[in-house]
Amino acid sequence: MDKKIARFQTMQDSCFTFIATLFPKETYQFVESQTLTDAFGQVGTHLTFKSTERELKFSFLEQAHRRFERVFLAEKSAGTTFFSRLLEATYEDEQLYIHHIVKTD
Amino acid sequence: MADAPLFGPFSRKGSYSKVKVLDNFNADERFMRLYQETMQLPEIDELTFYRRYLSRDERILLYGTFDPELFNTLSAEGYDLYLVEPEASRLEGISSRFLHKVYALSHDVVDAVGFEAFDRLVLPGTTIARYSRGELLLFFRNIRQLLTVDGRLLVNLHNIGHLKQHVQPIASKRMNDCTLFYGQKIDGERLILNLYLKSVADEKVGYAVEYLYDPSTLFEFAKLSKYSGQILYAGKTVHILELNKLA
């Protein structure tokens, strides 16, 4: 259990550092973390953060090779219903690295 | 790994301490590619089939190993495809134009488009066969939240009779810097694939398990979660089934 808690804390800290780089003028608070099994049986960890402007959600998914985790970042602006994807990242050695920016049509 | 479903020479190799046993073949890209090749369904020309089956007016969700080129082609032709693919290594080849339609978890898709947003859910290849009976019941129940009120699910099943006559006990393939060996075995209601490779850098065995269902069994399972079904195509090696979500 201690290991799980430590892992969550590290993930949360990494997310905060990442957010501070992306949105330096905004102040975020941690809302919640959830580990959920999706409709297809895949287990993902979701961390949500909130500022006055928006909500950010990080979704972590382990990969079979275990070299890094795949991470998606999505945002929901105040007053909107759905999230928009911002970018895909990797989580490696307790650090988040941008993999690519998600460009919509 | 005592519980790994390894047989014959693969089991012997797996018992050596220097040979790594992978409980998820996707952890090695060579195994992953070999699995995709051995589990292909050559009887169906997928591009022709999907062009006939899918409609550009519908929103379609794909889950499973979907050929990146096929995804690019159909997306460029105007089909509104979304893909859920957990393994990043299987996305090589997806055009950057369509990466925004690719997700890793169904929760993230729902966050983006809402519940009951897809007219069709397509499981390419024999993806459905990865689910055991218990998992299948959960699957049929869980995907209801993804499908519209009258949404449809498309799956493929091995023709069990044909498979039993054509199982490959051992074969090999050269890939990059090594030779891979693979074998298939039918064990009760399961198709087991074993893989082995030895290269300069490593020596590994891996396995994959698929569950064998005939169409009537699948329909019975689906009925429990309120689906009706029909066989769209009954071929020599494969059955294509369509399941309709009921209210």
Side-chain angles (χ1 to χ4, degrees):
Chain A
M1 187 58 112
D2 285 342
K3 254 184 160 177
K4 259 189 176 173
I5 295 170
R7 181 174 177 261
F8 270 128
Q9 191 58 55
T10 311
M11 277 169 124
Q12 192 181 316
D13 293 343
S14 300
C15 290
F16 265 125
T17 307
F18 201 72
I19 291 169
T21 310
L22 293 177
F23 304 102
K25 294 182 180 170
E26 294 174 30
T27 304
Y28 280 82
Q29 285 180 339
F30 172 68
V31 176
E32 66 172 353
S33 72
Q34 292 179 298
T35 298
L36 301 169
T37 304
D38 82 346
F40 303 113
Q42 296 292 329
V43 178
T45 302
H46 307 272
L47 279 76
T48 315
F49 300 80
K50 218 167 180 175
S51 72
T52 50
E53 283 81 20
R54 77 192 88 229
E55 191 175 329
L56 294 176
K57 189 187 241 185
F58 290 82
S59 299
F60 289 72
L61 177 65
E62 281 189 14
Q63 300 291 278
H65 55 59
R66 298 192 197 282
R67 292 195 301 274
F68 56 79
E69 289 183 57
R70 209 166 152 210
V71 185
F72 293 88
L73 176 58
E75 69 163 350
K76 184 160 69 128
S77 304
T80 59
T81 310
F82 298 120
F83 279 85
S84 307
R85 307 259 305 283
L86 287 177
L87 55 86
E88 184 172 336
T90 57
Y91 185 60
E92 196 175 351
D93 297 328
E94 298 176 351
Q95 185 83 27
L96 281 163
Y97 300 92
I98 294 179
H99 185 269
H100 66 268
I101 307 294
V102 175
K103 295 174 199 169
T104 54
D105 288 330
Chain B
M1 256 198 189
D3 297 335
L6 300 173
F7 54 83
F10 302 95
S11 177
R12 276 194 295 283
K13 285 291 185 186
S15 67
Y16 302 152
S17 57
K18 63 175 182 165
V19 178
K20 193 171 177 187
V21 179
L22 298 181
D23 61 1
N24 187 339
F25 65 87
N26 288 305
D28 186 287
E29 204 180 308
R30 293 160 295 186
F31 279 171
M32 190 180 72
R33 281 194 279 147
L34 183 57
Y35 172 83
Q36 284 172 291
E37 284 179 27
T38 52
M39 294 309 207
Q40 261 180 359
L41 301 170
E43 185 174 351
I44 304 167
D45 176 342
E46 284 186 294
L47 181 59
T48 305
F49 174 77
Y50 288 125
R51 277 173 173 158
R52 281 190 195 151
Y53 179 73
L54 301 176
S55 165
R56 288 178 180 82
D57 297 331
E58 294 175 325
R59 186 182 266 166
I60 301 137
L61 181 63
L62 308 162
Y63 172 70
T65 309
F66 199 78
D67 181 81
E69 283 302 318
L70 195 56
F71 187 81
N72 294 340
T73 301
L74 290 168
S75 296
E77 288 178 1
Y79 293 95
D80 188 13
L81 305 184
Y82 289 73
L83 173 64
V84 172
E85 173 49 76
E87 293 293 330
S89 50
R90 287 207 285 254
L91 297 173
E92 213 179 306
I94 298 267
S95 167
S96 57
R97 284 175 59 194
F98 308 121
L99 273 177
H100 66 287
K101 306 286 280 294
V102 177
Y103 294 77
L105 294 158
S106 68
H107 292 117
D108 293 340
V109 183
V110 170
D111 281 345
V113 300
F115 288 102
E116 297 188 325
F118 293 94
D119 300 285
R120 291 183 203 257
L121 171 58
V122 175
L123 268 59
T126 52
T127 304
I128 194 75
R130 295 182 203 164
Y131 295 101
S132 64
R133 285 171 177 250
E135 288 165 346
L136 205 54
L137 285 170
L138 267 178
F139 169 80
F140 282 129
R141 190 194 71 187
N142 291 342
I143 61 163
R144 287 184 71 85
Q145 64 180 271
L146 300 171
L147 288 167
T148 57
V149 165
D150 50 3
R152 286 179 272 180
L153 167 68
L154 186 81
V155 301
N156 306 310
L157 295 178
H158 289 293
N159 180 323
I160 298 174
H162 180 269
L163 188 66
K164 283 181 175 170
Q165 287 175 357
H166 293 88
V167 136
Q168 285 248 20
I170 189 98
S172 66
K173 185 178 174 65
R174 185 92 188 142
M175 199 180 279
N176 297 340
D177 65 340
C178 66
T179 300
L180 288 91
F181 292 88
Y182 62 97
Q184 294 172 323
K185 179 183 173 185
I186 296 204
D187 175 35
E189 291 174 332
R190 303 186 305 169
L191 169 66
I192 299 174
L193 174 70
N194 280 185
L195 308 129
Y196 165 79
L197 70 84
K198 184 175 180 180
S199 72
V200 170
D202 50 9
E203 191 172 359
K204 300 174 182 173
V205 292
Y207 59 88
V209 177
E210 290 197 352
Y211 297 86
L212 300 175
Y213 298 105
D214 59 55
S216 58
T217 304
L218 209 78
F219 291 146
E220 285 300 318
F221 272 74
K223 200 171 157 186
L224 295 173
S225 292
K226 295 196 199 170
Y227 295 85
S228 65
Q230 57 267 346
I231 298 176
L232 291 186
Y233 175 74
K236 194 168 132 189
T237 63
V238 64
H239 297 297
I240 304 178
L241 278 56
E242 184 181 65
L243 297 149
N244 307 292
K245 178 179 163 183
L246 303 172

